[in-house]
Amino acid sequence: METGNSTARAEELKAQANEAFKAHKYAQAIDLYSQAIELNGENAVYYANRAFAHTKLEEYGSAIQDASKAIEIDPKYSKGYYRRGAAHLAMGKFKEALKDFQQVKRICPNDPDATKKLKECEKAVMKLKFEEAISLPESERCSVADSIDYHTIEVEPQYSGARIEGDVVTLDFVKKMMEDFKNQKSLHKRYAFQIVLQIREMLRALPSLVDINVPEGKHFTVCGDVHGQYYDLLNIFELNGLPSEENPYLFNGDFVDRGSFSVEVILTLFAFKCMSPSAIHLARGNHESKSMNKIYGFEGEVRSKLSETFVELFAEVFCCLPLAHVINGKVFVVHGGLFSVDGVKLSDIRSIDRFCEPPEEGLMCELLWSDPQPIPGRGPSKRGVGLSFGADVTKRFLQENNLDLVVRSHEVKDEGYEIEHEGKLITVFSAPNYCDQMGNKGAFIRFEAPELKPDIVTFSAVPHPDVKPMAYANNFLRMFS
C-alpha cells in the first residue's frame, strides 16, 4: 500500500513545485522536485522539471545531470534530450546541444518546434565551425586596437551628443554621455573608440591582482554583477554618489550580457576610469569573455549599436581586465571564488598571465567561475565549470594569506547579498530583478578604513525603457528563454 501513497504524495509535491516554478521561485521548486524524487526516483518527468529549474538558476551542470537521469529512466522521453540540449547550449557547447536536438527530432519527427530548434542549432554549429576554420592562431593575430586611429574619424556637424575635447575625458563629458544614454541616445563612434582604446592602455599596465589602498577615515564601495542593467547602475550612483577620488568603487565583473543596455554600462564604467583611474576599479567576470558574449547578448548589442570592429576591440580589452583585488591587505575581492587546490598564495594570482580568453580549468578559470557551498571540502560545480568550495577552504585561504574576508559576486541572491562561511565570505550582486524576472534586490558593500567593517546597502530595481533582457542574445538561445 505504501508505494501507492508515496506515488500520490510525490505527484502532490510535483504540483507544488510547478507552482513555485511559475512564481519564479526556482530554488524552492528544486527543493520540492527533490522531495518528489526521494519518494519516487523512477519518474523521468521529475528530473526533467528539476533540470529546467536548474537552468533558470544558471546551474547548467546540475541541469545536464538531471536531464541525463531522465533520459536514463526513459530513453524515449524527448523532453529529457530537449532540456539537456538547452543546458549544453547555455554553456556554449553547441556540438553536444546539436546531438541532443537530433534525438528530439528522431523521437518527435512531426513536431514543428523541434524541427525549428534543430535548424537553428545546426546554423549555430556551422557558424562556429566556419569561425574556427578562418581564425588565425593566437601567435599570428594582430591587435585590432593597433589598426584604429580615432583622430581620423569625422564627427558630423549634426551630431548633438557628448563630445570629448582633445584627449582628456572630463566629468562634464561623462555626465552628458550618461544623460544621453538615459534618453536612449548613442555616443559617437569616435568617442567610443577613444574611451575603449584609452582604457586598454590603462588596464594593460595593471597586474593580475591589484592592491587597493583606502586611507584611514575614507570609504570604498564594492558592487557585484550589473549585467547590462544601465538604469539600475544609474540608481547605484544616485544612492551612493558618482565615482571619484573621494568616492571610489570596485565593479566586480559581469558588467555586460543578459541586460540589453550593456554598451551603455561598459562605456560609462570605462569613461569613469579614463576620467580618474583611482575612482573606479574593474575586475573581470566570467561574462567578460568571447564565448559568453556570443551567447548572452553583448556581441549582438555591440554589433547593433556600434560595429563589428568594436566586437573585436571589446574582446581584446576584456582580456586586459585584472582578475582580483585586495583592499588594504585584508579583503580579497574576486568575481567567482577560490581554488581546487590548497596553498594558493596571492603571489600565484599576481603571476597569472591573464591576457587570454579564460581557460576551461586552472586558477584563472576558478577565480571567474567557482561558487561557495554550505558543506566543508570541495565539490563539483552546479554550473559545470569551476568548482564548489566549503568554509574550511575559505578559512585556510584567508589564514595562509593573512586576510580577513572574501567578497565575491557571480550569483543572484534574493536580498542582493549573502553572508556565508561563518561570516568570512560575502556574495554581493548588484543587478536587482535580474533579467526582469527574478524579483531579487541588488546590493553594494561600503567599507570604511581602517576597520573595513562591511556595511551592506540593498536597493530595488528601477524602471527601464521597454527593451527586454536578452534582446540581442543568440537567436537560438532566445528560443529557450
Side-chain angles (χ1 to χ4, degrees):
M1 188 59 226
E2 182 49 36
T3 55
N5 266 351
S6 54
T7 308
R9 176 75 189 122
E11 279 298 301
E12 271 170 39
L13 285 162
K14 177 189 121 181
Q16 287 172 14
N18 291 351
E19 285 308 308
F21 186 96
K22 278 187 202 125
H24 305 307
K25 298 195 162 85
Y26 303 117
Q28 196 185 332
I30 288 170
D31 189 43
L32 290 160
Y33 289 131
S34 303
Q35 290 177 44
I37 287 167
E38 291 277 293
L39 292 171
N40 177 10
E42 288 306 303
N43 188 322
V45 176
Y46 301 168
Y47 284 101
N49 286 9
R50 189 170 72 177
F52 196 19
H54 278 303
T55 299
K56 289 289 189 185
L57 290 179
E58 300 175 33
E59 297 170 352
Y60 305 122
S62 301
I64 288 168
Q65 274 181 310
D66 273 350
S68 300
K69 183 72 184 161
I71 291 163
E72 189 189 309
I73 294 168
D74 179 2
K76 291 210 166 11
Y77 183 46
S78 65
K79 211 171 235 175
Y81 294 101
Y82 185 88
R83 296 274 176 251
R84 190 170 70 183
H88 275 137
L89 179 66
M91 292 176 73
K93 299 192 166 171
F94 291 105
K95 290 163 194 167
E96 286 89 338
L98 184 58
K99 287 189 189 122
D100 283 328
F101 293 121
Q102 285 165 339
Q103 277 302 119
V104 175
K105 182 85 173 97
R106 261 180 224 124
I107 298 166
C108 333
N110 303 320
D111 176 357
D113 188 51
T115 309
K116 194 170 121 200
K117 290 203 164 67
L118 180 62
K119 276 217 174 71
E120 277 295 336
C121 196
E122 286 168 341
K123 257 189 358 210
V125 172
M126 285 303 290
K127 190 166 170 254
L128 210 68
K129 283 186 173 153
F130 176 69
E131 283 169 2
E132 279 171 14
I134 62 167
S135 77
L136 287 168
E138 283 293 339
S139 55
E140 292 169 38
R141 266 177 229 178
C142 50
S143 156
V144 64
D146 297 336
S147 67
I148 301 158
D149 178 8
Y150 64 84
H151 298 96
T152 62
I153 300 171
E154 274 302 297
V155 180
E156 303 75 15
Q158 65 270 29
Y159 172 72
S160 61
R163 294 169 181 261
I164 302 172
E165 303 301 335
D167 279 337
V168 182
V169 174
T170 62
L171 180 58
D172 283 341
F173 162 78
V174 181
K175 283 181 174 166
K176 166 92 170 99
M177 178 185 77
M178 285 165 69
E179 192 56 31
D180 287 348
F181 283 161
K182 189 178 165 182
N183 298 318
Q184 293 184 276
K185 296 193 182 117
S186 51
L187 179 67
H188 197 282
K189 287 189 185 62
R190 180 198 199 272
Y191 305 120
F193 272 129
Q194 188 167 347
I195 289 166
V196 181
L197 290 168
Q198 215 165 322
I199 202 85
R200 177 173 169 266
E201 289 310 304
M202 213 173 263
L203 295 174
R204 273 170 76 182
L206 294 172
S208 292
L209 173 70
V210 174
D211 287 291
I212 295 169
N213 176 43
V214 185
E216 190 156 341
K218 302 286 185 197
H219 64 268
F220 187 85
T221 304
V222 179
C223 296
D225 305 29
V226 182
H227 275 303
Q229 297 186 195
Y230 180 67
Y231 294 81
D232 294 306
L233 175 66
L234 291 183
N235 186 38
I236 291 173
F237 293 151
E238 220 31 56
L239 297 169
N240 195 56
L242 292 176
S244 67
E245 310 268 318
E246 289 297 302
N247 188 34
Y249 282 81
L250 163 56
F251 281 86
N252 196 27
D254 284 15
F255 321 122
V256 302
D257 280 340
R258 294 191 180 273
S260 295
F261 305 96
S262 292
V263 165
E264 289 79 359
V265 167
I266 198 73
L267 288 175
T268 300
L269 296 178
F270 281 1
F272 270 116
K273 191 154 184 73
C274 289
M275 176 196 89
S276 168
S278 60
I280 191 164
H281 301 268
L282 302 169
R284 193 171 194 173
N286 61 307
H287 277 267
E288 277 70 50
S289 74
K290 256 191 216 164
S291 60
M292 291 288 125
N293 297 160
K294 234 184 228 343
I295 305 172
Y296 291 100
F298 185 56
E299 191 176 292
E301 189 185 332
V302 171
R303 237 181 232 121
S304 158
K305 293 178 182 173
L306 292 163
S307 71
E308 189 61 51
T309 310
F310 275 97
V311 171
E312 294 297 308
L313 186 57
F314 278 117
E316 257 178 49
V317 173
F318 286 168
C319 291
C320 302
L321 286 161
L323 303 177
H325 291 77
V326 175
I327 306 170
N328 288 7
K330 286 299 171 199
V331 181
F332 179 71
V333 191
V334 65
H335 180 71
L338 300 181
F339 311 102
S340 54
V341 292
D342 279 334
V344 175
K345 290 281 197 278
L346 294 181
S347 54
D348 299 320
I349 300 170
R350 230 173 247 118
S351 62
I352 294 172
D353 178 8
R354 70 180 189 278
F355 299 97
C356 59
E357 287 302 314
E360 302 256 316
E361 53 187 28
L363 296 187
M364 180 166 166
C365 168
E366 290 161 3
L367 284 164
L368 299 181
W369 281 94
S370 297
D371 296 297
Q373 63 178 27
I375 54 172
R378 295 179 170 91
S381 164
K382 297 178 286 200
R383 299 173 190 272
V385 189
L387 70 142
S388 298
F389 59 95
D392 53 331
V393 176
T394 300
K395 204 166 142 189
R396 271 198 305 274
F397 174 77
L398 291 172
Q399 275 169 349
E400 287 169 2
N401 289 287
N402 194 20
L403 297 159
D404 294 339
L405 179 68
V406 174
V407 173
R408 43 87 62 179
S409 304
H410 194 40
E411 280 180 290
V412 61
K413 297 290 178 188
D414 286 344
E415 289 304 312
Y417 73 98
E418 188 175 356
I419 302 173
E420 300 168 80
H421 292 182
E422 294 152 36
K424 291 294 183 193
L425 181 142
I426 305 178
T427 297
V428 59
F429 191 84
S430 307
N433 194 23
Y434 181 43
C435 293
D436 285 359
Q437 63 157 346
M438 298 297 274
N440 60 296
K441 287 197 170 88
F444 53 82
I445 308 177
R446 278 178 65 114
F447 291 98
E448 185 116 9
E451 287 84 24
L452 297 185
K453 190 173 80 51
D455 174 21
I456 301 171
V457 180
T458 66
F459 56 94
S460 296
V462 294
H464 63 76
D466 188 22
V467 185
K468 299 280 175 276
M470 306 285 276
Y472 300 93
N474 182 301
N475 218 343
F476 183 30
L477 195 73
R478 278 216 300 281
M479 298 178 144
F480 294 91
S481 38

